[in-house]
Amino acid sequence: MKFCFGMLGALLLGGAFPVTASAHLGLTEPSSRYGPDVLKDGPCGMEGGTRSRFVVTAEAGSTLTVRFEEYIDHPGHYRVAFDPDGDDDFRDPVCVSHCDERTDPEDPTWAPDDTGTVLMDLIPDGAREVTLEVPLPDVECDNCTLQIIQVMYDKRPYVSGTNDIYYQCVDLVLERSGPPPDAGPPVDAGPRPDAGAVADAGTDAGGVARDGGGGGRDGGAGEDAGGCSAGGAGGAAGAWAVWVGLVAFRQRWR
């Protein structure tokens, strides 16, 4: 009876608290949008999902270190893609050959990317822990997304949108922190006047003024000439008085 109750309790508890399965591909650095256990639906692990609060701010054009673990081993490859304005530009890889038979000894082959979103592709799946140095585009964006996917080869036949791919995304903001744009060369205001030349000009001007003053003193020579003229008039008057006196004296003695 106890055994039956124990089994019933385990079933009830199991139904009330479902256990989350371990992820096949889980980002450990940086944090993914929904965590390492939400990865089944594209483009970022959850159908109809939106941007999360786990936003990574990085330098535009820099390199971002990305680390993830493969908890359950599958043969395949990894791919890294970037969308500058959301996550609607991501597309699943297109298989072109060896796409159907699970037991096919040849790996699937894939069409070249035509979306312009792929940064790194066909990264070998061989280690449990993977570290990638991802070159970020040199653009500024506040709603950009980095997508990391695992494409598995043992799930064939390969059909896009089924369980052949696991998805993880990182919400990004890319900024530039360098110097502001160049405002151009400074405007040339011409050579500054030489202080010595200004002083010389003042001296010359003063010299001219002093020369002018000298001219004034030369003008004093005119005053001297005027004085001589006045003295000459006085001398003539004196001579006239002497002559008159002489005339009067001569008349007196006749």
Side-chain angles (χ1 to χ4, degrees):
M1 186 73 175
K2 292 181 180 180
F3 176 75
C4 293
F5 178 78
M7 292 182 61
L8 179 60
L11 290 174
L12 290 174
L13 289 175
F17 304 100
V19 178
T20 302
S22 296
H24 292 64
L25 164 70
L27 276 175
T28 58
E29 181 185 348
S31 297
S32 63
R33 178 179 291 185
Y34 309 121
D37 295 323
V38 182
L39 69 171
K40 288 295 295 181
D41 297 311
C44 292
M46 178 189 298
E47 186 176 359
T50 58
R51 195 170 174 87
S52 74
R53 61 184 179 88
F54 302 109
V55 177
V56 176
T57 300
E59 176 81 13
S62 66
T63 298
L64 181 68
T65 299
V66 175
R67 293 187 174 92
F68 54 86
E69 294 184 3
E70 184 183 16
Y71 296 101
I72 299 177
D73 185 35
H74 291 279
H77 74 267
Y78 303 107
R79 189 186 76 176
V80 182
F82 175 84
D83 188 341
D85 57 359
D87 56 24
D88 56 340
D89 290 339
F90 297 129
R91 298 290 182 270
D92 289 343
V94 177
C95 184
V96 294
S97 64
H98 303 283
C99 310
D100 299 325
E101 295 296 329
R102 180 174 296 209
T103 57
D104 190 335
E106 298 292 330
D107 291 339
T109 57
W110 310 93
D113 170 62
D114 61 358
T115 66
T117 64
V118 175
L119 302 179
M120 305 172 71
D121 202 1
L122 300 176
I123 303 165
D125 177 2
R128 177 181 174 86
E129 297 181 357
V130 179
T131 299
L132 302 176
E133 298 298 328
V134 179
L136 298 174
D138 189 13
V139 297
E140 289 189 293
C141 55
D142 57 9
N143 185 36
C144 34
T145 308
L146 191 73
Q147 181 199 58
I148 299 94
I149 65 172
Q150 179 187 25
V151 184
M152 294 171 286
Y153 297 170
D154 58 352
K155 299 289 187 176
R156 290 177 284 188
Y158 175 82
V159 178
S160 179
T162 58
N163 65 344
D164 297 287
I165 300 177
Y166 289 128
Y167 306 86
Q168 294 272 268
C169 284
V170 179
D171 293 323
L172 291 177
V173 171
L174 298 188
E175 300 176 343
R176 290 193 178 95
S177 60
D182 186 6
V187 177
D188 186 5
R192 299 178 60 185
D194 182 46
V198 173
D200 293 341
T203 302
D204 293 339
V208 172
R210 287 192 292 273
D211 291 341
R217 288 192 295 271
D218 293 339
E223 293 170 3
D224 295 340
C228 292
S229 299
W240 172 259
V242 172
W243 184 78
V244 170
L246 289 175
V247 171
F249 179 77
R250 288 181 64 186
Q251 290 178 350
R252 184 176 178 183
W253 286 99
R254 281 182 180 176

